[in-house]
Amino acid sequence: ESGDVLYIVDLAGSTSTDGCVYLNSLPLAQEGKASPVPCRDWASLSTSQRVALNASGEHVYTGSLAGDTTSNLVIIKNSTLFRQEGDTLPDIAPWKLTGFGSAPVDIDDVGNVLWFGDWDDPDTSRDQGLFLNGALLVQEGVQTIAFAPSRVRVELLLRYLRDALPSRLGEPPKIHGYRGGYLPKERRAVEHRL
């Protein structure tokens, strides 16, 4: 709606400075240049990183910083640091974030950021989850019921969660939708799995 576009490019030239994130024609970040984290330059903004833009022109993207590898992964919101590897949050304390996985980041029209995180809990059956801003919404290994105001939002949430928390090869999906419009047999199958 804002007419803006957010994108990652791989420029010609040195591989240490060729990755850039642009909002329209304005460069927001470039490999080898200063990041929003003091004294840390960008190391990687390659096309494997993720970007999202909402209807108001607010943006979020991921990248990797040069220097200390225990704090090099970041999520940037509106050109400021949003989350960084090594951060802790109340819902995962005392553990620290160790990465942001391969799931996309997203920003809604009021500026809420939906993101995936890994943390250093020694119990690896529950050390990943989906967050909204700083709140843990869904945690690996913990059964969760989420509600959405419409069928469309249920299906969008279902698709996003399945992308963010995929089942292992050969296993049935871990995440199931439940909404109006399902046939009674489909609803009963979901209820049986609870």
Side-chain angles (χ1 to χ4, degrees), residues 86-124:
D87 287 352
T88 192
L89 299 166
D91 290 347
I92 64 166
W95 316 119
K96 294 179 181 177
L97 292 170
T98 59
F100 303 113
S102 59
V105 294
D106 202 3
I107 187 167
D108 70 14
D109 288 340
V110 294
N112 294 307
V113 178
L114 188 65
W115 57 282
F116 179 83
D118 294 301
W119 56 92
D120 60 357
D121 186 332
D123 183 348
T124 59

Side-chain angles (χ1 to χ4, degrees), residues 104-182:
V105 294
D106 202 3
I107 187 167
D108 70 14
D109 288 340
V110 294
N112 294 307
V113 178
L114 188 65
W115 57 282
F116 179 83
D118 294 301
W119 56 92
D120 60 357
D121 186 332
D123 183 348
T124 59
S125 69
R126 61 178 194 181
D127 66 344
Q128 301 178 15
L130 188 67
F131 294 82
L132 182 65
N133 298 321
L136 181 60
L137 295 178
V138 179
Q139 183 176 355
E140 176 187 28
V142 177
Q143 190 170 31
T144 305
I145 297 176
F147 296 90
S150 69
R151 291 180 185 184
V152 170
R153 290 208 179 153
V154 167
E155 292 303 318
L156 287 172
L157 184 60
L158 179 63
R159 183 173 36 137
Y160 188 88
L161 289 171
R162 282 184 174 166
D163 288 348
L165 303 167
S167 298
R168 290 185 174 85
L169 188 61
E171 290 182 357
K174 294 187 241 181
I175 301 169
H176 304 279
Y178 189 91
R179 59 164 176 79
Y182 284 171

Side-chain angles (χ1 to χ4, degrees), residues 2-101:
S2 67
D4 292 322
V5 61
L6 181 69
Y7 55 98
I8 299 174
V9 296
D10 192 12
L11 303 172
S14 170
T15 57
S16 63
T17 61
D18 64 345
C20 295
V21 176
Y22 279 86
L23 178 60
N24 301 317
S25 61
L26 175 70
L28 299 177
Q30 183 172 355
E31 292 172 355
K33 295 201 174 181
S35 76
V37 178
C39 303
R40 302 284 296 273
D41 290 344
W42 287 110
S44 176
L45 293 163
S46 70
T47 54
S48 64
Q49 305 302 319
R50 288 142 344 253
V51 299
L53 179 69
N54 70 14
S56 303
E58 294 181 291
H59 57 275
V60 63
Y61 58 92
T62 64
S64 180
L65 304 175
D68 184 0
T69 58
T70 63
S71 63
N72 66 331
L73 303 175
V74 293
I75 299 174
I76 303 299
K77 176 185 175 186
N78 298 328
S79 300
T80 60
L81 180 64
F82 176 74
R83 293 287 175 262
Q84 184 171 6
E85 181 182 18
D87 287 352
T88 192
L89 299 166
D91 290 347
I92 64 166
W95 316 119
K96 294 179 181 177
L97 292 170
T98 59
F100 303 113

